[in-house]
């Protein structure tokens, strides 16, 4: 007992938590099959609006639903079809839907019917309340000083100023596309001279093709984060990121810093390849940010990746690091999305694994180490099991009272010790506690910041055995 008292005395005083500001989200991936370059816009009417590239490259579609997951089964409307001749006659790519000054706008890229690689950016407008059923007017091409390959237009507002971000090829530079930004005079007209923000220079940006494309912007904590996609649209596709201060001059390339490594890339363990061309939205309660992107569930592609129809729309929650930067983690496995479990009495500490030992830590640098999927219990009988996000097939599992993340060996003994009854939190009914399947009265709990399965007696132990899902 003296040793236990010493350990307790050395630990920092706990800060008991209310329910987290950003609770867990429930998604099942993929959200929509055979839909690439996805864009989800949450409107003030309570609906989410969804558009994406269809594999036929011949039309623009919209869906709407009251929830993000609801978009998966929502009816799909065709709001515009490619021209039979001339401009906007081929390669209808990367639509985005925005609501600006009381009207709907769709930005998209298209080639000519007689020159399919003459890709330029175009805009549609609708004043209808419901853009799925209202009429659309072609506002024409977004004119840029360089009349060259241009695509992936997006628009965003910082400090009251509206900007356009896009990708374009400079014929004088030996690459496929760079990132540009400009102010907008109206939703389809650039104001002033565009500025080049980024060129593909890192090795991970130049695999197959030298590409920076598909900018997407999220603002938080006085910073502007611009993600973008890099390399060929096969398994090498990935996300990079630029960062600027929201109070800086966004038209000054020096105001932006570039991450030297990808912020989101394929993952063989979860079976996800080539994640990219993302957008951002928020959860139904506005308390969480959500990453929207496409990928494939296989690595090898026969022929041109653009001819492969199986890019799928996927969604997952964004977490935020202590330094204010977004933590995207890894593209999670298909099926139910994982979540994090924060400690009731150490709310900035999360269950994570390290060398397979389960423990409690703050500031987990590798987000996926602290993400677990709640799945049907391996032992059945109404239990749940907690599966590692980055080691699928591995579960939180009790070994002689210690909790490890181990591979399921298929045995009944493993199933029993990796299965728990999910209970209301012992110290907070808004939280969750996990009672061991084969050991009534023993719970998953932390002690000395290591996880154990132990009896729970007294208030401190009940707090140690209570977690919040985030």
């Amino acid at each position: 007992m003296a040793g236990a008292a010493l350990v307790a005395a050395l630990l920092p005083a706990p800060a008991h938590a209310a329910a987290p500001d950003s609770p867990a989200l429930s998604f099942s991936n993929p959200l929509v099959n055979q839909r690439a370059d996805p864009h989800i816009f949450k409107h003030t009417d309570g609906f989410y609006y969804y558009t994406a590239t269809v594999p036929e490259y011949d039309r623009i579609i919209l869906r709407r639903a009251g929830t993000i997951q609801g978009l998966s089964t929502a009816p799909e409307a065709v709001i515009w079809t490619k021209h039979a001749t001339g401009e906007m006659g081929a390669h209808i790519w990367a639509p985005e839907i925005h609501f600006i000054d009381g009207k709907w706008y769709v930005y998209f890229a298209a080639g000519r019917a007689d020159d399919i690689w003459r890709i330029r950016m175009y805009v549609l407008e609708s004043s209808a309340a419901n853009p799925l059923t209202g009429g659309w007017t072609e506002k024409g091409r977004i004119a840029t000083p360089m009349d060259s390959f241009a695509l992936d237009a997006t628009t965003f507002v910082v400090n009251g100023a509206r900007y356009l971000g896009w990708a374009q090829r400079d014929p004088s530079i030996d690459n496929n596309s760079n990132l540009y930004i400009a102010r907008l005079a109206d939703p389809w007209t650039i104001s002033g001279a565009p500025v080049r923000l980024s060129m593909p220079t890192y090795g991970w940006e130049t695999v197959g093709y030298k590409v920076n494309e598909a900018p997407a912007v999220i603002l938080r904590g006085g910073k502007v984060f611009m993600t973008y996609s890099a390399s060929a649209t096969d398994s090498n596709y990935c996300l990079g990121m630029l960062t600027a201060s929201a109070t800086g001059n966004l038209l000054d390339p020096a105001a932006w810093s570039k991450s030297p490594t990808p912020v989101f890339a394929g993952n063989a363990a979860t079976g996800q390849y080539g994640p990219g061309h993302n957008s951002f939205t928020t959860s139904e309660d506005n308390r969480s940010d959500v990453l929207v992107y496409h990928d494939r569930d296989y690595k090898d592609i026969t022929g041109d990746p653009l001819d492969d129809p199986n890019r799928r729309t996927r969604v997952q929650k964004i977490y935020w690091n202590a330094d204010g930067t977004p933590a995207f983690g890894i593209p999670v496995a298909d099926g139910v999305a994982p979540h994090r479990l924060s400690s009731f009495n150490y709310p900035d500490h999360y269950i994570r694994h390290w060398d397979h030992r389960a423990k409690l830590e703050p500031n987990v640098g590798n987000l996926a180490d602290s993400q677990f999927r709640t799945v049907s219990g391996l032992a059945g009988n109404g239990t749940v099991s907690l599966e590692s996000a980055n080691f699928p097939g591995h579960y939180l599992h009790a070994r002689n009272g210690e909790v490890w993340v181990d591979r399921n060996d298929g045995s009944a003994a493993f199933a029993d010790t990796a299965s728990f009854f999910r209970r209301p939190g012992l110290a907070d009914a808004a939280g969750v506690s996990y009672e061991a399947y084969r050991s009534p009265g023993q719970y998953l709990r932390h002690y000395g910041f290591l996880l154990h399965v132990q009896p729970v007696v007294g208030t401190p132990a009940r707090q140690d055995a209570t977690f919040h899902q985030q």
Side-chain angles (χ1 to χ4, degrees):
M1 293 301 294
L6 178 60
V7 169
L10 294 175
L11 295 180
H16 301 161
D21 291 335
S22 179
L25 302 180
S26 297
F27 297 132
S28 183
N29 281 306
L31 188 71
V32 186
N33 285 313
Q34 293 198 339
R35 292 292 180 267
D37 312 327
H39 187 259
I40 296 177
F41 178 83
K42 185 182 184 184
H43 191 38
T44 54
D45 64 1
F47 286 102
Y48 288 91
Y49 292 84
Y50 166 89
T51 188
T53 300
V54 301
E56 297 82 8
Y57 304 147
D58 63 353
R59 64 195 186 275
I60 296 175
I61 58 90
L62 282 180
R63 300 184 184 199
R64 78 170 186 174
T67 64
I68 295 173
Q69 191 65 49
L71 293 168
S72 180
T73 55
E76 190 169 275
V78 176
I79 64 161
W80 184 89
T81 303
K82 72 177 183 178
H83 291 190
T85 61
E87 285 193 292
M88 296 180 276
H91 281 162
I92 309 306
W93 286 351
E96 288 198 5
I97 184 166
H98 297 267
F99 191 77
I100 304 170
D101 297 333
K103 294 182 179 181
W104 292 100
Y105 292 89
V106 168
Y107 294 79
F108 66 101
R112 291 182 59 90
D114 55 354
D115 189 355
I116 63 174
W117 293 106
R118 188 177 172 83
I119 307 292
R120 303 293 186 270
M121 301 177 293
Y122 299 88
V123 181
L124 305 176
E125 179 188 75
S126 177
S127 57
N130 183 353
L132 278 74
T133 58
W136 289 86
T137 301
E138 295 175 1
K139 305 304 289 185
R141 181 164 68 91
I142 299 175
T144 58
M146 290 185 297
D147 184 18
S148 61
F149 181 89
L151 71 169
D152 296 346
T154 190
T155 184
F156 56 96
V157 174
V158 179
N159 292 329
R162 181 167 291 279
Y163 296 87
L164 187 79
W166 72 99
Q168 189 163 9
R169 181 174 186 180
D170 183 338
S172 69
I173 301 174
D174 180 24
N175 63 27
N176 297 88
S177 60
N178 309 302
L179 296 180
Y180 293 85
I181 188 173
R183 292 280 296 271
L184 283 176
D186 59 45
W188 60 91
T189 307
I190 286 173
S191 173
V195 173
R196 186 178 68 233
L197 292 184
S198 177
M199 296 190 299
T201 55
Y202 290 115
W204 53 270
E205 298 177 297
T206 58
V207 182
Y209 294 101
K210 301 174 182 178
V211 170
N212 280 180
E213 65 182 15
V217 169
I218 186 170
L219 285 74
R220 182 180 169 99
K223 294 181 180 179
V224 183
F225 302 100
M226 178 183 285
T227 54
Y228 63 92
S229 299
S231 289
T233 57
D234 55 17
S235 63
N236 297 294
Y237 211 46
C238 60
L239 292 184
M241 189 172 72
L242 306 176
T243 304
S245 169
T247 58
N249 178 8
L250 300 186
L251 299 179
D252 178 4
W256 297 82
S257 61
K258 185 174 184 176
S259 297
T261 57
V263 294
F264 197 62
N267 189 279
T270 61
Q272 309 301 321
Y273 299 94
H277 203 118
N278 78 288
S279 60
F280 298 104
T281 190
T282 56
S283 61
E284 290 78 6
D285 61 7
N286 294 316
R287 297 166 69 185
S288 299
D289 296 302
V290 178
L291 177 69
V292 185
Y293 65 98
H294 75 236
D295 76 1
R296 294 182 178 89
D297 62 353
Y298 51 88
K299 181 177 181 179
D300 297 325
I301 298 170
T302 301
D304 189 333
L306 290 176
D307 295 331
D308 182 291
N310 294 319
R311 292 179 290 180
R312 313 96 46 79
T313 296
R314 310 182 90 247
V315 289
Q316 57 193 73
K317 179 176 175 174
I318 299 169
Y319 295 87
W320 293 91
N321 296 314
D323 65 359
T325 57
F328 301 116
I330 61 174
V332 298
D334 284 351
V336 62
H339 53 262
R340 304 177 88 187
L341 289 163
S342 62
S343 166
F344 168 80
N345 47 2
Y346 295 93
D348 63 344
H349 286 55
Y350 296 87
I351 294 178
R352 59 90 48 92
H353 59 83
W354 179 262
D355 284 342
H356 296 279
R357 182 66 165 98
K359 59 193 303 187
L360 210 62
E361 267 190 2
N363 304 320
V364 180
N366 185 358
L367 173 67
D369 285 350
S370 63
Q371 289 180 291
F372 296 88
R373 299 206 305 167
T374 301
V375 298
S376 296
L378 299 179
N381 299 314
T383 63
V384 299
S385 293
L386 295 166
E387 183 182 17
S388 168
N390 52 351
F391 289 91
H394 291 63
Y395 298 83
L396 289 179
H397 163 244
R399 289 192 216 160
N400 299 318
E402 297 181 345
V403 178
W404 294 74
V405 173
D406 287 332
R407 178 180 291 279
N408 179 11
D409 63 10
S411 69
F414 184 94
D416 286 355
T417 52
S419 297
F420 302 87
F421 291 107
R422 183 166 49 188
R423 310 295 193 196
L426 297 177
D428 177 6
V432 61
S433 294
Y434 296 95
E435 185 176 15
Y437 169 59
R438 286 296 189 189
S439 303
Q442 296 193 29
Y443 286 79
L444 187 69
R445 62 166 291 191
H446 66 87
Y447 185 80
F449 295 119
L450 295 174
L451 256 63
H452 301 266
V453 169
Q454 292 180 342
V456 171
V457 179
T459 297
R462 295 169 70 87
Q463 293 172 350
D464 291 346
T466 301
F467 304 90
H468 285 121
Q469 298 179 86
Q470 295 193 29

